Amino acid sequence: MTYIPALIERASPTGVFNGTPPDHLPAENGLYVWRTAVAMPFVTFFFVMLRFYTRIYILKAKKYTIDDYIVALTMLVSIAHSVLMAIATYNGMGLHIWQYNTELNSRYYLWIGITSEFYALGLCGFKSALLIMYIQLFGVYKRFRWTCYGTLFFCVGYLFCNMMTEFLGCHPISKKWHPEIPGVCINSTIAATFYGACSMASDLIIAILPLTMIWKLQVATTRQKIGLSLVLSCGFISWAIAVARWGIATFNLVGTTDRPWWAGISFTLSIFEVQTGLICACVATLAPLWKLACSHVRDWTGWSSHQSTKVMTWPSFVRKPDYTQSSGDTKKSGGHWARANNTIGGHGNPAGRGNHMTSYADTTLNASHDDEYDLLGVSEWHSHTTREDRSQRSVDV
C-alpha cells in the first residue's frame, strides 16, 4: 500500500473532515487522558518526596548522587508532559475521526508533536536514574558495569533520535500540522514501530539486570533475595505498560482509520509509562524507610518476643540495643553501632579492583559512597553472621 506522507491522511483515508466537534472538550477518550494527566503527577510526586525524605532525614546523606538530580528533573518533565497532555485533550485528542474538522486536525497534530518531546525526555530520565543506581550498587562487577553503560547509551541514543525524528520528521516542520502545504514527511508508521520496540527492549533489560546480581549474593538469604528482586525489578511494570502501548499504537497506525480515538488510549498509557517508571526509580530507594516503619510496628505491637530476633531486624540507621559482637565486624561508639568499612565499591576498594574470590567482608555490595541507599541491608547481614561463616563464604567477582 502506497504511503501518503500527508498527516491528514493518517487520520482519514479521504482527508475530508466534515464532522462537528463536541461542544465541550475533552470528550470521548480525551476525558480519560485528562483525568490521568491530572491525577498521576500527584501520586508520583508523593513517591519522589518519600525518596528525598529517606535520603535527607533517615540516611542523613551529606550530598546528593547524580540519580537524585535526574529524578528531580524528571519529575518536572513528567509534570510538564502531563500538563501538555491535558491541554491536548482540548485540541481533539481522543475524539472519533468523524468528529474532526480541518482546523481541529491541525491543532491535534501540533500538540501531538509537542507532548512527544516531553514523553521522550521523561522516558530517558527514569531509565537513566535506574541504570545509574544499578551502577552505584553493583558497579564493582566490571561486566555488569559495562552492560549498564551500554544500556544507558542505547536508551539515550534512541530517545534522542526519537526526539529529533519527531521534531524534524517533516520538511518544512510546519507540514506536520499543516499537511496541505508542499513538502515531505518520513514514514511515521515505521518510525513509531521502531522506537516502540526499542522502548520495550530497554525496559525489559533494565528490569532483568539487577536480578543477575541479586541472585549471586552469597551473603543474603533467599527471603532477602526475593525482597530485593521485587524492589529492584519493579521496572517490569513499565515494561508491561510499554508493551500494551506499543500494541495499541501499532494497531492505531495500521489497523484502523479511527486513529485519534485509539490514540487517546495510547497516550493515556504513555502518561502511566512515564509516571510509573519514575515511581519505580523511587521505590527502589525506600528500603530504609520501610525497615524503619517495620521496626516501629514491631515495637508498638510487641510482635517480636525474643530480644535476639528483634536485634536482627533493626535497620542500620536506627540505634541498636546493646549486645555482644565479635571485633572486626562492627564497632560500638557513643552508644551507637557503626558499620564496618569492609566494602567493595567503597573508598577502601575501587570499583572493578577485586580478587576473583573475595571473603564475605569484601562482598557487602554497596554504593560507591558507603551504600548511599542502604538498600542492600549490609549491616543487618553483619549483625547475625559469625566470623567463621564469613571466612567460608565467597562470591565470584
Side-chain angles (χ1 to χ4, degrees):
M1 183 175 61
T2 304
Y3 174 73
I4 303 175
L7 293 177
I8 195 171
E9 293 293 328
R10 292 176 55 190
S12 172
T14 62
V16 177
F17 300 93
N18 294 321
T20 302
D23 295 332
H24 300 285
L25 293 173
E28 301 295 341
N29 283 335
L31 182 62
Y32 302 106
V33 177
W34 186 89
R35 290 172 178 172
T36 305
V38 171
M40 281 303 298
F42 288 98
V43 179
T44 305
F45 185 76
F46 172 75
F47 281 93
V48 171
M49 288 298 98
L50 285 182
R51 174 193 174 105
F52 283 97
Y53 175 82
T54 302
R55 300 278 288 119
I56 297 172
Y57 295 102
I58 297 181
L59 294 181
K60 306 294 182 181
K62 297 181 180 179
K63 61 181 180 179
Y64 296 125
T65 55
I66 185 172
D67 55 315
D68 291 327
Y69 292 105
I70 292 176
V71 166
L73 291 175
T74 305
M75 182 71 249
L76 297 178
V77 170
S78 68
I79 293 175
H81 174 249
S82 295
V83 170
L84 292 171
M85 291 292 289
I87 295 174
T89 61
Y90 290 91
N91 293 275
M93 180 178 290
L95 295 182
H96 287 288
I97 186 61
W98 53 82
Q99 295 174 303
Y100 272 73
N101 55 31
T102 304
E103 188 271 337
L104 185 60
N105 182 72
S106 296
R107 287 160 45 194
Y108 169 71
Y109 280 109
L110 173 62
W111 283 97
I112 289 295
I114 296 174
T115 58
S116 296
E117 299 293 323
F118 285 86
Y119 168 69
L121 281 175
L123 293 182
C124 186
F126 83 77
K127 292 173 191 280
S128 299
L130 284 170
L131 287 168
I132 291 174
M133 183 183 68
Y134 296 163
I135 293 172
Q136 294 189 47
L137 287 172
F138 304 112
V140 63
Y141 295 95
K142 185 176 181 180
R143 291 182 180 178
F144 180 85
R145 185 171 68 251
W146 283 108
T147 301
C148 289
Y149 283 136
T151 306
L152 181 61
F153 177 80
F154 171 71
C155 292
V156 174
Y158 91 81
L159 287 169
F160 176 78
C161 293
N162 190 359
M163 294 175 64
M164 292 298 99
T165 301
E166 191 66 37
F167 183 67
L168 302 174
C170 290
H171 180 76
I173 296 175
S174 59
K175 183 174 176 58
K176 184 175 182 64
W177 57 91
H178 288 301
E180 69 278 2
I181 65 177
V184 294
C185 291
I186 65 170
N187 191 321
S188 58
T189 301
I190 295 177
T193 303
F194 171 75
Y195 292 130
C198 289
S199 183
M200 289 189 300
S202 61
D203 283 337
L204 186 60
I205 293 172
I206 291 172
I208 293 175
L209 269 175
L211 298 179
T212 63
M213 302 306 301
I214 291 171
W215 291 92
K216 288 182 179 180
L217 291 173
Q218 301 296 322
V219 296
T221 64
T222 301
R223 182 179 179 181
Q224 288 171 326
K225 291 178 180 179
I226 293 174
L228 287 172
S229 298
L230 292 175
V231 170
L232 291 179
S233 293
C234 57
F236 278 113
I237 299 174
S238 295
W239 172 76
I241 296 175
V243 170
R245 183 184 183 278
W246 185 78
I248 293 175
T250 302
F251 175 75
N252 178 40
L253 290 172
V254 300
T256 180
T257 57
D258 193 12
R259 291 172 180 171
W261 189 88
W262 283 98
I265 302 176
S266 177
F267 284 110
T268 300
L269 292 176
S270 72
I271 298 173
F272 276 113
E273 186 179 3
V274 173
Q275 302 290 339
T276 56
L278 187 54
I279 289 173
C280 291
C282 295
V283 167
T285 65
L286 300 183
L289 182 62
W290 171 252
K291 288 185 286 187
L292 180 61
C294 288
S295 67
H296 284 313
V297 170
R298 291 188 179 98
D299 287 341
W300 294 336
T301 61
W303 180 77
S304 178
S305 59
H306 297 87
Q307 179 72 7
S308 60
T309 301
K310 190 172 183 178
V311 167
M312 290 170 56
T313 61
W314 279 88
S316 60
F317 47 81
V318 179
R319 183 173 61 86
K320 301 175 178 63
D322 295 339
Y323 66 99
T324 303
Q325 183 72 15
S326 300
S327 61
D329 191 0
T330 55
K331 299 179 182 180
K332 184 177 180 183
S333 177
H336 295 265
W337 289 91
R339 183 180 306 179
N341 288 326
N342 298 321
T343 61
I344 277 184
H347 299 293
N349 191 359
R353 296 182 183 179
N355 296 327
H356 180 69
M357 301 294 288
T358 54
S359 66
Y360 168 78
D362 290 330
T363 57
T364 56
L365 302 176
N366 62 346
S368 299
H369 301 287
D370 296 329
D371 196 359
E372 292 285 349
Y373 312 97
D374 197 35
L375 180 63
L376 299 179
V378 173
S379 59
E380 292 186 24
W381 298 336
H382 274 293
S383 66
H384 58 275
T385 304
T386 62
R387 178 174 297 183
E388 290 76 16
D389 292 336
R390 296 198 308 273
S391 64
Q392 295 177 0
R393 296 184 180 181
S394 61
V395 64
D396 292 335
V397 177

